[in-house]
Structure formats: C-alpha cells, structure tokens
Amino acid sequence: MAADRALQLERDAIVAALTPVVDGLAATFGPMCEVVLHDYRQPEKSVVAVAGSVTGRTVGGAMSEIGMRVVARGDEAGDELNYVTRTRNGKLVKASTMVLRDSTGAVFGALCVNLDVTAVNDAHALLGALAGIGASSPDVPVTTFGNDIDSVVDAILDAHQLRQNGSWAGLDRAQRLELFRGLDERGVFAVRRAIEQVAARLGISRASAYSYLSQARAEAGTAADRATDQTSSGGHA
C-alpha cells in the first residue's frame, strides 16, 4: 500500500511540474496552438490543464478518442507525433500526443500539442492552383474532441456503424463481434458506463453487450495466440 501511495504522489508531482509548461508551450507557438495536459486516472475528466483553443477543451473535460486509444494500449502505448486529423467542425489539426509514465514505466497521462493548420493548408492549395499544380489531399480522419465523455463514445460508435453500413439488426454474428472488437481496440470500454451506453444505442440488453464483448476479446486472444505460435515455429503450420 505504501508503494502504491508513493506512486500516486510521484504521478501527482509529474502533473504539477508539467502544468506551467502548458502555458509556456502555447505562448511559444502562438494563437493557432493548443496544449492539453491529461491525467488518465480520471478518464471522464482527464483534462487538468489547457492553454489555447483549437479543439475547445476545458479543464475537467474528458479525454478524446485518441486518449481512449492510449488507455486501451496501456503501458504498451507510445508517443504519437505529428499526425494530421480533422475536428468535427472541419479544422485541420496537426497533433502530437506524448504519454506520461511514472518510474515503473506505467502510462498514466499525456501531454498533447494541437496546431490548427487549416489556414496553412488553404494557402498551400491556393499556391498550388496559382502554379498550375493540381492539389490532391488524402482523406484525413476525423477525431472527436469533447469535454463530455458520452459524446466521444457516441461519435466512435456512429463511425463504426457507418463503416458497417447497416443497423445492428442487419449485422451477422461476425460483423457484430467485429463492431465490439473495434470499439474495444479504440478504448471505448475503458470508460465507466460505456457498456451500458453502447447497449442502449444498439437496442440490446447490457447482458448481451457484455456477452459480445467477451466473445470478441476471446476470439482476438485466440488469433493473437495463433500468430505467436506461427512466429515461434518459423511461420510453418
């Protein structure tokens, strides 16, 4: 117990030390920059400090789906640097998420830097058009940033249902398990009450949702075991 208490104090100290850094980084990069400090020990209100306004985060707000992904990966999570995403209101954002670890290597939070590069992208397209160079911008994934964890879970669920291209009733067993596996991989079920929220959105009982999640995890574990066995045997059956 004393060791656990010491780790919590250490994590508190790391968060406290980084809090003033948030304002300094945002001031350095200017008004198009937002810096967010997360403490994933409280996922529903993980934002402990924020400077700038790119994604509209506020102190006490929830982690985004990127944070959910980090939580789902646990101590295996790594930094995600300079990835480009788009907010739900259309802003193009270049972002970096740097995980926070304690002295045991356990991940417990993240420092995130978000740059609004919408104007830069528009200027690039304009210069390309003036130069006669056709602009071909790849599809940029949309990331949900919200201060309410329920809205983040809803957005992830909506995206998965859209990809499945059908209602829950229209999905076969494999597609249903794939839906739950996809939600699990994105960290949705690391959030309290998420299983109830997903069940309500799908129109199924909580017991059925737990059953599908259990089956999806079991099948994912079996697939991982098979891959490990193949690797250890030189890839031969």
Coordinates of all heavy atoms in Angstrom, one line a residue, residues 222-237:
T222 N -7.4 -15.6 -29.1 CA -7.1 -16.8 -29.9 C -6.3 -16.5 -31.1 O -5.3 -17.2 -31.4 CB -8.4 -17.5 -30.2 OG1 -9.2 -17.8 -29.1 CG2 -8.1 -18.8 -31.0
A223 N -6.7 -15.4 -31.8 CA -6.0 -15.1 -33.1 C -4.6 -14.6 -32.7 O -3.6 -15.0 -33.4 CB -6.7 -13.9 -33.8
A224 N -4.4 -13.9 -31.6 CA -3.0 -13.5 -31.2 C -2.2 -14.7 -30.8 O -1.0 -14.7 -31.1 CB -3.2 -12.5 -30.0
D225 N -2.8 -15.7 -30.2 CA -2.1 -16.9 -29.8 C -1.6 -17.7 -31.0 O -0.5 -18.2 -31.1 CB -2.9 -17.8 -28.9 CG -3.2 -17.2 -27.5 OD1 -2.4 -16.3 -27.1 OD2 -4.1 -17.6 -26.8
R226 N -2.5 -17.7 -32.0 CA -2.1 -18.4 -33.3 C -1.0 -17.7 -34.0 O 0.0 -18.4 -34.5 CB -3.3 -18.5 -34.2 CG -4.4 -19.5 -33.8 CD -5.2 -19.9 -35.0 NE -6.0 -18.7 -35.5 CZ -7.2 -18.4 -35.2 NH1 -7.8 -19.1 -34.3 NH2 -7.8 -17.3 -35.6
A227 N -1.0 -16.4 -34.0 CA 0.1 -15.6 -34.6 C 1.4 -15.9 -33.9 O 2.5 -16.0 -34.5 CB -0.3 -14.1 -34.6
T228 N 1.3 -15.9 -32.5 CA 2.6 -16.2 -31.8 C 3.1 -17.6 -32.0 O 4.3 -17.7 -32.2 CB 2.2 -16.0 -30.3 OG1 1.8 -14.7 -30.0 CG2 3.5 -16.3 -29.4
D229 N 2.2 -18.5 -32.1 CA 2.6 -19.9 -32.4 C 3.3 -20.0 -33.8 O 4.3 -20.7 -33.9 CB 1.5 -20.9 -32.3 CG 0.9 -21.1 -30.9 OD1 1.7 -20.7 -30.0 OD2 -0.2 -21.5 -30.7
Q230 N 2.7 -19.3 -34.8 CA 3.3 -19.4 -36.1 C 4.7 -18.7 -36.1 O 5.6 -19.3 -36.8 CB 2.4 -18.6 -37.1 CG 1.4 -19.5 -37.8 CD 0.9 -18.8 -39.1 OE1 0.7 -17.6 -39.1 NE2 0.6 -19.6 -40.1
T231 N 4.8 -17.6 -35.4 CA 6.1 -16.9 -35.4 C 7.2 -17.8 -34.7 O 8.3 -17.9 -35.2 CB 6.0 -15.6 -34.6 OG1 5.0 -14.8 -35.2 CG2 7.3 -14.9 -34.6
S232 N 6.8 -18.5 -33.6 CA 7.8 -19.3 -32.9 C 8.2 -20.5 -33.7 O 9.2 -21.1 -33.5 CB 7.2 -19.7 -31.5 OG 6.0 -20.4 -31.7
S233 N 7.3 -21.0 -34.6 CA 7.6 -22.2 -35.4 C 8.1 -21.8 -36.8 O 8.1 -22.6 -37.7 CB 6.3 -23.0 -35.5 OG 5.3 -22.3 -36.2
G234 N 8.5 -20.6 -37.0 CA 9.1 -20.2 -38.3 C 8.1 -19.9 -39.3 O 8.4 -19.9 -40.5
G235 N 6.8 -19.7 -38.9 CA 5.8 -19.4 -39.9 C 5.2 -20.6 -40.6 O 4.4 -20.4 -41.5
H236 N 5.5 -21.8 -40.1 CA 5.0 -23.0 -40.8 C 3.9 -23.6 -39.9 O 4.0 -23.6 -38.7 CB 6.1 -24.1 -41.0 CG 7.2 -23.6 -41.9 ND1 7.0 -23.3 -43.2 CD2 8.5 -23.2 -41.6 CE1 8.2 -22.9 -43.7 NE2 9.1 -22.8 -42.8
A237 N 2.9 -24.1 -40.6 CA 1.8 -24.7 -39.8 C 2.2 -26.0 -39.3 O 3.0 -26.7 -39.8 CB 0.6 -24.9 -40.8

